[in-house]
């Protein structure tokens, strides 16, 4: 069974440009999460999808970030325009159900974003 | 608000030796879960071990065990018989047991990079 896959694995863009990160969750997982780790700091929650609906987007830093999950399958996270402080690792995770019992959350490898 | 603190940015251990990674947390909740995740270089982050707060018994998974001190809000990870493959970033994480909104957010620490010396 394929795990959570993220693309690209690494991206270097200039300040002001746009970057789109993609996440393919494990097949059949309704719950999809985005987290971010700025270098040297903790991993922070960005948002949570249940199928195609945003359940919680309280962690999104500002309106330069747009997440979508059309059709409830893969998700994209677009940063436009990118700023230097957006550099970090963006993790995607998915789980089958929301409750803890039986809810193992699986993470991807992360997409490393560097804004120069 | 809940917080998780990992005070050791980096640790080293000799192969076959034992190492303990520290984690403290702060919460006013009585029911929650604690986790240790491991991310090897360029690999997926995977769950190492988890602990339910209502359980007094410390969780163990093969060479990995925790020392859960609920009153002290401490959750350390002990790795016995360290192997080269244990080299990774280790993240301590907290999650509430029940939420009203349906979003089970994980609160992570800043991570500890573990080096295993041959």
């Amino acid at each position: 069974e394929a795990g959570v896959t993220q693309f690209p694995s690494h991206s270097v863009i200039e300040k002001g440009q746009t970057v789109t990160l993609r996440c393919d969750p494990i097949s059949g997982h309704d719950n999809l999460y985005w987290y971010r780790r700025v270098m040297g700091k903790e991993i922070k929650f960005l948002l949570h999808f249940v199928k195609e609906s945003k359940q919680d987007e309280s962690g999104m830093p500002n309106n330069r970030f747009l997440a979508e999950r059309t059709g409830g399958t893969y998700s994209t996270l677009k940063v436009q325009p990118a700023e230097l402080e957006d550099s970090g690792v963006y993790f995607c995770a998915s789980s089958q159900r929301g409750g803890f019992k039986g809810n193992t959350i699986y993470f991807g490898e992360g997409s490393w974003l560097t804004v120069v | 608000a809940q917080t998780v603190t990992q005070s050791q940015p980096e640790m080293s251990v000799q192969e076959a030796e034992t190492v303990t990674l520290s984690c403290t947390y702060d919460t006013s909740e009585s029911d929650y879960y604690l986790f240790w995740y491991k991310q090897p270089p360029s690999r997926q982050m995977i769950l190492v071990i988890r602990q339910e707060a209502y359980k007094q018994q410390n969780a163990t998974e093969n060479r990995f065990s925790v020392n859960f001190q609920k009153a002290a809000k401490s959750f350390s990870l002990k790795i016995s018989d360290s192997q080269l493959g244990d080299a990774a970033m280790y993240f301590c994480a907290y999650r509430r047991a029940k939420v009203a909104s349906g979003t089970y957010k994980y609160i992570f620490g800043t991570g500890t990079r573990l080096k295993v010396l041959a």
Side-chain angles (χ1 to χ4, degrees), chain A residues 61-76:
Chain A
N62 52 61
N63 59 10
R64 294 186 294 102
F65 289 76
L66 175 64
E68 294 179 322
R69 192 182 182 195
T70 307
T73 54
Y74 70 91
S75 173
T76 58

Side-chain angles (χ1 to χ4, degrees), chain B residues 64-80:
Chain B
F64 298 87
S65 62
V66 298
N67 183 4
F68 173 48
Q69 301 290 327
K70 191 172 184 179
K73 295 180 182 175
S74 171
F75 183 62
S76 60
L77 174 70
K78 184 171 83 171
I79 306 173
S80 304

Side-chain angles (χ1 to χ4, degrees), chain A residues 3-4 33 35 37 40-43 45 48 55-56 58 91 98-101 103-105 107-109, chain B residues 33 35 37 39 42-45 47 50 52 54 89 91 95 101-106 108-111:
Chain A
V4 177
Y33 308 83
Y35 283 80
R37 180 176 186 240
K41 299 198 173 180
E42 66 272 25
I43 300 170
F45 169 84
H48 170 211
Q55 180 76 20
D56 185 338
S58 61
F91 290 100
F100 177 74
K101 292 298 181 184
N103 174 32
T104 298
I105 186 169
F107 284 86
E109 294 179 11
Chain B
Y33 302 102
F35 308 84
Y37 280 89
Q39 186 181 26
S42 301
R43 300 280 300 279
Q44 293 175 326
M45 191 156 61
L47 177 66
R50 63 186 168 204
E52 289 99 327
Y54 66 87
M89 278 293 287
F91 294 97
R95 207 209 78 186
S101 69
T103 294
Y104 290 88
K105 298 177 191 175
Y106 285 65
F108 287 89
T110 51

Side-chain angles (χ1 to χ4, degrees), chain A residues 23-42:
Chain A
C23 169
D24 286 75
I26 293 173
S27 177
H29 282 193
D30 289 341
N31 293 277
L32 186 148
Y33 308 83
W34 283 99
Y35 283 80
R36 175 176 76 166
R37 180 176 186 240
V38 173
M39 279 306 110
K41 299 198 173 180
E42 66 272 25

